């Protein structure tokens, strides 16, 4: 299980509340009449407790978690080596986003394909 610790820092919730209120003020402008429904506009009048409840009910992360299997030469500090081989095992290779050292700035799909193809080429070549 991966705990992303979403909203565990009080400043996170305060910033989200401020951002949501600002976004809803913007969406309340007449320029958005054709695309914004009442739900998107009603945030201006919500009390803090109601806004918190809405945030807790809907908070999500956009990025796909990556980097859950550290890559490196030292088995004491990493799960896999630079070729994706799992330290301390024979014939087990990880070739997915879990071995990426950082979250890519774009969607993880293409980066994962590239990583997997590169590791597969090393295994078969």
């Amino acid at each position: 299980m991966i705990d992303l610790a979403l909203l565990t820092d009080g400043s996170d919730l305060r910033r989200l509340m401020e951002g949501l209120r600002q976004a809803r003020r913007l969406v309340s402008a007449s320029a958005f009449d054709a695309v914004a429904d009442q739900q998107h506009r009603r945030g201006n009048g919500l009390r803090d407790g109601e806004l918190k409840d809405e945030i807790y009910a809907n908070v999500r992360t956009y990025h796909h978690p990556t980097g859950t299997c550290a890559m490196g030469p030292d088995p004491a500090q990493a799960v896999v080596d630079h070729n994706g081989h799992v330290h301390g095992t024979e014939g087990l290779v990880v070739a997915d986003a879990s071995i990426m050292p950082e979250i890519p700035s774009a969607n993880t799909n293409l980066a994962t394909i590239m990583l997997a193809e590169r590791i597969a080429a090393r295994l078969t070549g």
Side-chain angles (χ1 to χ4, degrees), residues 24 27-29 32-46 54:
R24 288 187 169 173
V27 168
S28 293
F32 292 99
D33 284 348
V35 294
D37 60 22
Q38 278 308 110
Q39 159 129 19
H40 292 105
R41 294 167 185 250
R42 71 182 187 88
N44 293 334
L46 291 180
E54 189 169 325

Side-chain angles (χ1 to χ4, degrees), residues 16-97:
L16 278 172
M17 289 173 64
E18 290 169 17
L20 188 53
R21 281 202 168 103
Q22 179 63 27
R24 288 187 169 173
R25 272 193 293 277
L26 292 171
V27 168
S28 293
S30 60
F32 292 99
D33 284 348
V35 294
D37 60 22
Q38 278 308 110
Q39 159 129 19
H40 292 105
R41 294 167 185 250
R42 71 182 187 88
N44 293 334
L46 291 180
R47 293 187 305 257
D48 282 355
E50 294 171 308
L51 198 55
K52 285 178 187 177
D53 290 345
E54 189 169 325
I55 289 170
Y56 278 110
N58 294 292
V59 71
R60 307 233 183 339
T61 178
Y62 165 76
H63 287 23
H64 305 285
T66 65
T68 55
C69 291
M71 182 190 301
D74 183 0
Q77 296 185 2
V79 177
V80 299
D81 67 14
H82 68 285
N83 288 316
H85 295 278
V86 176
H87 291 298
T89 64
E90 182 94 18
L92 181 58
V93 176
V94 177
D96 64 22

